[in-house]
Amino acid sequence: MTSFLRPGQQSASAFGLAFDVDRDAGGAGAAPVFNKNERLAISEQRRRLPIYAHRTELLYLVEGHATTVVVGETGSGKTTQVPQYLHEAGWTQGGKLVACTQPRRVAAMTVASRVAEEMGCRLGQDVGYSIRFEDVSTPGVTRVRFCTDGVLLREMMDDPLLLKYSCVMVDEAHERSLATDVLLGLLKKIQRRRPDLRVIISSSTIEAEKMARFFDTSNVRRPRAHAEGVQQGAAPSRSPALLSVEGRTHNVQVHYLEAPASDYIQAAVETAVNIHREDLPGDILIFLTGQDECEAAVKLLDEEGRRLQRSRLKLRMQAVALYAGLPAAHQLGVFEPAPRGVRKVVVATNIAETSVTLEGTVYVIDSCFAKQRCYNPLTGLESLLIAPISKASAAQRAGRAGRVRPGHCLRLCTEGDFEQKLPATTVPEMQRSDLSGTVLQLKSLGIDNIMHFEWLAPPPAEASGWLGGWLGGRAGRRGGGVVTMIRALESLHALGALDGDARLARPLGAQMADLPLDPVLARMLLAAGQMGCTAKVLTVVAMLSVQSVWAPGGRRGVDEAKARFAVAEGDLVTYLNVWRGWEESGRSKKWAIENHVMHRSMLRAADIRNQLQAHLRRQGIKQASALEGATSFDHDEELETVRKALAAGMFINAAKLTEELTVKLSDQADTGASVYRLVRSAGGSAAAVKLRIHHSSVLFRCRPQWVCFYAAEQNDSGWYEMRDVLAIESGWLTELAGHVYKMVPLNPQMRR
């Protein structure tokens, strides 16, 4: 393959690229693809999609097979068209629905909007979507429903067999998110009871055969009761069918660096600028790893764009960011076509890797990195590290180009590094995540034997020594992930969600499972109901459920704004002051801007708060008390009650200040970082963990003796940094969690 020199060394023409010529132009004719051309009728646009040529075959396979795996390349139209084909073929008759799940909420929203447009209906009528804390659909009217995997999982709490659905399509299953893997396991289980349920799985080539083998139950004997319930000859085949659909219209030429780039952000910016100087049409999509990198790149591109305005280029460069923390309206705005005479440069995280399509993209610049969460069950903490992507992800990213003309993907690594250092596939999220929420959900669905649940890929088997030997025989063939599972069960038992036999505790465990929250937040909310401070804790939980309430931008301005609301009790109580200020301003957008608060995040938090309040009301949890009317903390007793309720959910993540101090010798201005240790460490791996308060916390420059934190992530330097920190009193741990913590006399000879 053609390689190119390091960006910035020479002009773009020296890269050996011919941006206006397709390398394989003389090859086979291109497959048709959807181009959003307003001059064409929607029906004609749909007929131009590659999936249209396979419409009859697809419906035939769905009719005759319980499970169909569709291998569709980027741009094939499978996401928007398959649900419509099912609707047109009668799968939504008799009040039934067709569900199409997406791994990300932005994909569910954008795809639903497009399908509603194609079907000529208002969004929320025949076509709707449901994401966490947002439902745009009409019961009894909506026939095609797009939703995230997690939303459909929660729906099983009320409808375990998904009786109102005739067909469920799991889109982008190859991403292997935690919710996707659990959903696939449950759908396989449901099909044993409901042979009429059709499952369609959209997957990449690499995962397709694995999916088909997983759902193949042709050799499994069906229970007599179920066999008698299906008329002879009417039951669909239990052997999955596979259908492959071509994708891109044009070929995508892939290019590599000749030498590694020391700074991939700068390299990406320079490459984009060099492409822009060629003055050829086509938008640019840059893949980076996170919000900070995206915003930094956009800032650099804006500066370069201003410099290039003096040149005689026909196109002007407009840089925009796309990442998960961006407000929904801003995310949707990225998909709007660029104005005439403007080249759009989208700087995105892997949110743009699958599902969503940015029309007009011709050039993809791939950093070949992404942020990955890795959970360590031995410490109970997460790491968020920048790691190389897989070859499968790189192929998905390259597929974003070539939609409207011959495309180019420029990978910011050498070809040798790509072939040798990038793994073939991404490690499934199931094998690198905390499973507490998943286990609680499965328990609430009546699946008590978690070890024998059929996972597409079981959690990792880290168990060793006596623990691995003790559980090895009990776990059986599917007994991977012993330590991860044990850690999840221990956490849920400590929170009171499970009883001593690891069964769902009632009523507490059932109430926690019913709330659309992770177990820690659910526990603190229920504790608030018992202590009589539900209103305050509802506010905190709602604000913890949004990406961030603080506006992105200069750190100094945000820090000054935080100082106006900060209290010594920590971030969670500070959120209450922010909420009160916003409410007293009449929920003013102007107030939010002046105080560096994201108005949309506050509105979303308010909506989440109302929904959680409705959940508590349905559970019959009392919300009125002497504390409910308080608008400020005039009494220490009121504040202490709220803090205790918050600590009742976070006591597992308690840490104590040590006498250790870490100083960066190379920085004379560095006053040192205070070191915290986990209270629950009890020796072993957790005891070696060093924690410090993250710079975004209002307690960053303080030294509270005892704290609880909602989240802690390991950064590239090896530190675990605590976010959303609450200062507590040491005696609260034994008071709130006497089954976990116990006060013992300190031996003076022991190291403190």
Side-chain angles (χ1 to χ4, degrees):
M1 293 185 180
T2 306
S3 60
F4 63 98
L5 298 175
R6 186 173 177 179
Q9 290 182 338
Q10 297 187 38
S11 65
S13 59
F15 289 178
L17 306 181
F19 292 124
D20 56 339
V21 178
D22 189 345
R23 180 182 59 178
D24 298 321
V33 72
F34 162 66
N35 292 323
K36 194 171 182 179
N37 190 333
E38 301 297 339
R39 291 174 295 180
L40 294 176
I42 284 181
S43 58
E44 181 61 27
Q45 292 177 20
R46 293 183 63 194
R47 278 194 290 270
R48 291 193 174 198
L49 288 163
I51 190 74
Y52 182 77
H54 303 275
R55 183 182 185 277
T56 303
E57 293 93 328
L58 173 67
L59 293 174
Y60 174 79
L61 293 175
V62 172
E63 183 72 34
H65 296 262
T67 304
T68 304
V69 180
V70 178
V71 183
E73 291 185 27
T74 300
S76 63
K78 60 187 184 301
T79 302
T80 57
Q81 301 307 301
V82 171
Q84 292 187 71
Y85 295 162
L86 295 170
H87 173 63
E88 293 161 359
W91 287 93
T92 57
Q93 291 180 359
K96 293 289 187 180
L97 279 80
V98 168
C100 180
T101 70
Q102 299 292 328
R104 295 184 178 88
R105 66 188 184 99
V106 66
M109 292 188 293
T110 54
V111 174
S113 178
R114 174 61 191 177
V115 172
E117 180 186 355
E118 291 185 1
M119 289 179 59
C121 66
R122 287 182 57 190
L123 184 61
Q125 296 297 310
D126 288 350
V127 180
Y129 71 84
S130 295
I131 59 177
R132 188 168 176 247
F133 296 122
E134 186 176 342
D135 184 10
V136 182
S137 62
T138 306
V141 176
T142 300
R143 302 270 68 91
V144 178
R145 187 165 176 256
F146 293 87
C147 60
T148 55
D149 301 311
V151 164
L152 193 61
L153 284 174
R154 294 215 65 84
E155 199 165 329
M156 290 183 189
M157 304 272 289
D158 298 321
D159 184 11
L161 296 179
L162 297 177
L163 293 173
K164 64 182 178 183
Y165 294 98
S166 64
C167 187
V168 175
M169 177 178 175
V170 183
D171 199 16
E172 308 294 353
H174 56 267
E175 286 203 20
R176 303 296 303 280
S177 70
L178 178 58
T180 299
D181 274 17
V182 175
L183 178 62
L184 291 173
L186 288 171
L187 287 173
K188 181 179 180 180
K189 197 175 183 70
I190 290 172
Q191 280 187 322
R192 293 177 187 153
R193 299 283 301 275
R194 276 195 62 196
D196 62 308
L197 178 67
R198 299 301 195 272
V199 175
I200 300 175
I201 301 168
S202 164
S203 176
S204 67
T205 307
I206 294 176
E207 296 283 346
E209 291 186 3
K210 183 186 294 185
M211 301 280 181
R213 286 195 302 270
F214 179 73
F215 275 90
D216 189 351
T217 59
S218 56
N219 295 325
V220 179
R221 187 175 180 180
R222 180 176 285 157
R224 180 183 296 272
H226 298 162
E228 292 175 353
V230 180
Q231 295 180 359
Q232 187 69 27
S237 170
R238 291 185 289 164
S239 295
L242 278 84
L243 176 67
S244 182
V245 182
E246 66 274 11
R248 296 185 294 265
T249 298
H250 305 282
N251 290 300
V252 174
Q253 191 173 357
V254 180
H255 312 271
Y256 298 90
L257 292 173
E258 287 195 345
S262 58
D263 183 347
Y264 60 79
I265 300 176
Q266 187 64 38
V269 171
E270 291 175 358
T271 303
V273 171
N274 288 332
I275 292 172
H276 182 66
R277 285 191 177 123
E278 292 289 317
D279 215 19
L280 295 170
D283 293 340
I284 301 171
L285 173 59
I286 301 175
F287 282 101
L288 296 178
T289 69
Q291 175 179 338
D292 292 342
E293 290 185 1
C294 290
E295 290 177 349
V298 167
K299 186 176 180 181
L300 291 171
L301 287 166
D302 285 341
E303 293 173 359
E304 291 290 343
R306 284 192 290 271
R307 290 195 193 99
L308 292 171
Q309 282 181 351
R310 305 186 192 95
S311 62
R312 297 182 179 180
L313 297 176
K314 292 181 293 184
L315 297 173
R316 182 171 58 85
M317 186 166 60
Q318 178 187 15
V320 291
L322 177 62
Y323 49 84
L326 208 61
H330 291 187
Q331 287 184 357
L332 296 175
V334 174
F335 298 93
E336 294 297 323
R340 183 181 295 274
V342 173
R343 184 201 306 279
K344 188 165 59 175
V345 182
V346 179
V347 187
T349 61
N350 56 1
I351 191 175
E353 191 173 299
T354 56
S355 298
V356 298
T357 297
L358 294 164
E359 295 295 337
T361 300
V362 175
Y363 312 102
V364 168
I365 301 172
D366 187 2
S367 67
C368 294
F369 286 100
K371 281 187 178 178
Q372 282 196 359
R373 292 186 182 275
C374 297
Y375 175 72
N376 184 346
L378 299 176
T379 62
L381 298 174
E382 271 189 334
S383 300
L384 184 63
L385 304 175
I386 296 174
I389 61 172
S390 65
K391 291 185 178 71
S393 292
Q396 288 287 332
R397 293 181 176 189
R400 302 290 97 184
R403 296 297 302 273
V404 295
R405 49 169 294 177
H408 297 268
C409 175
L410 300 96
R411 291 175 178 155
L412 302 181
C413 65
T414 64
E415 188 170 8
D417 284 347
F418 180 85
E419 295 296 338
Q420 297 169 19
K421 296 183 179 180
L422 268 64
T425 58
T426 305
V427 177
E429 195 176 2
M430 170 67 67
Q431 298 184 342
R432 49 186 173 87
S433 298
D434 177 14
L435 300 180
S436 298
T438 300
V439 170
L440 179 60
Q441 208 160 18
L442 291 175
K443 293 280 185 181
S444 69
L445 289 170
I447 302 172
D448 281 323
N449 196 338
I450 302 296
M451 291 297 186
H452 282 76
F453 181 74
E454 291 191 71
W455 307 100
L456 183 61
E462 309 95 339
S464 60
W466 71 270
L467 182 60
W470 183 74
L471 282 167
R474 293 162 175 77
R477 181 173 59 86
R478 306 183 188 93
V482 174
V483 173
T484 309
M485 284 296 184
I486 291 297
R487 175 69 189 162
L489 292 169
E490 286 177 345
S491 298
L492 292 172
H493 180 262
L495 290 169
L498 302 181
D499 60 21
D501 295 324
R503 296 183 182 277
L504 193 68
R506 298 188 183 277
L508 185 59
Q511 290 174 331
M512 288 174 62
D514 184 57
L515 292 170
L517 298 166
D518 72 61
V520 168
L521 295 182
R523 183 66 186 94
M524 67 170 66
L525 195 52
L526 294 174
Q530 297 168 347
M531 297 181 186
C533 54
T534 311
K536 297 289 190 294
V537 176
L538 262 173
T539 300
V540 173
V541 169
M543 295 179 78
L544 286 173
S545 299
V546 298
Q547 190 77 13
S548 175
V549 298
W550 301 108
R555 179 173 163 183
R556 182 176 178 180
V558 174
D559 287 346
E560 290 175 355
K562 286 181 181 179
R564 292 196 285 272
F565 303 100
V567 289
E569 288 75 19
D571 300 294
L572 305 192
V573 181
T574 298
Y575 288 151
L576 290 173
N577 289 337
V578 174
W579 177 268
R580 189 177 70 234
W582 183 64
E583 285 282 346
E584 290 176 352
S585 73
R587 300 190 173 185
S588 164
K589 185 175 182 179
K590 180 181 178 183
W591 179 94
I593 294 172
E594 290 173 350
N595 290 279
H596 291 267
V597 171
M598 289 186 68
H599 184 61
R600 287 189 176 275
S601 292
M602 296 299 291
L603 289 173
R604 180 161 174 77
D607 183 44
I608 291 172
R609 189 181 186 280
N610 290 336
Q611 292 188 45
L612 291 175
Q613 202 166 22
H615 274 281
L616 294 179
R617 198 176 296 117
R618 282 197 299 271
Q619 291 185 3
I621 295 176
K622 184 180 178 182
Q623 298 183 57
S625 75
L627 297 181
E628 297 302 298
T631 57
S632 62
F633 295 114
D634 300 323
H635 305 290
D636 292 341
E637 183 180 347
E638 294 176 350
L639 175 56
E640 183 175 305
T641 303
V642 173
R643 290 167 63 201
K644 280 186 176 181
L646 297 171
M650 298 193 299
F651 63 81
I652 292 177
N653 291 334
K656 183 184 185 302
L657 180 68
T658 68
E659 297 176 358
E660 302 170 66
L661 195 69
T662 300
V663 180
K664 192 175 182 180
L665 297 177
S666 60
D667 186 359
Q668 294 182 352
D670 186 21
T671 57
S674 300
V675 178
Y676 286 80
R677 300 282 184 180
L678 289 171
V679 179
R680 59 172 164 79
S681 61
S685 301
V689 170
K690 292 193 300 183
L691 301 104
R692 67 183 179 193
I693 297 175
H694 192 267
H695 65 77
S696 64
S697 171
V698 298
L699 297 178
F700 177 57
R701 302 190 184 281
C702 304
R703 289 168 54 88
Q705 289 292 311
W706 297 81
V707 298
C708 284
F709 56 90
Y710 177 57
E713 294 172 348
Q714 187 180 26
N715 59 24
D716 293 326
S717 65
W719 277 94
Y720 280 94
E721 296 186 315
M722 301 179 287
R723 296 174 180 263
D724 297 318
V725 184
L726 173 73
I728 64 168
E729 302 296 330
S730 61
W732 294 358
L733 295 178
T734 53
E735 178 185 345
L736 297 169
H739 56 296
V740 177
Y741 299 108
K742 182 173 66 174
M743 283 286 190
V744 295
L746 180 64
N747 185 343
Q749 296 180 348
M750 291 178 63
R751 180 178 177 270
R752 298 187 64 180

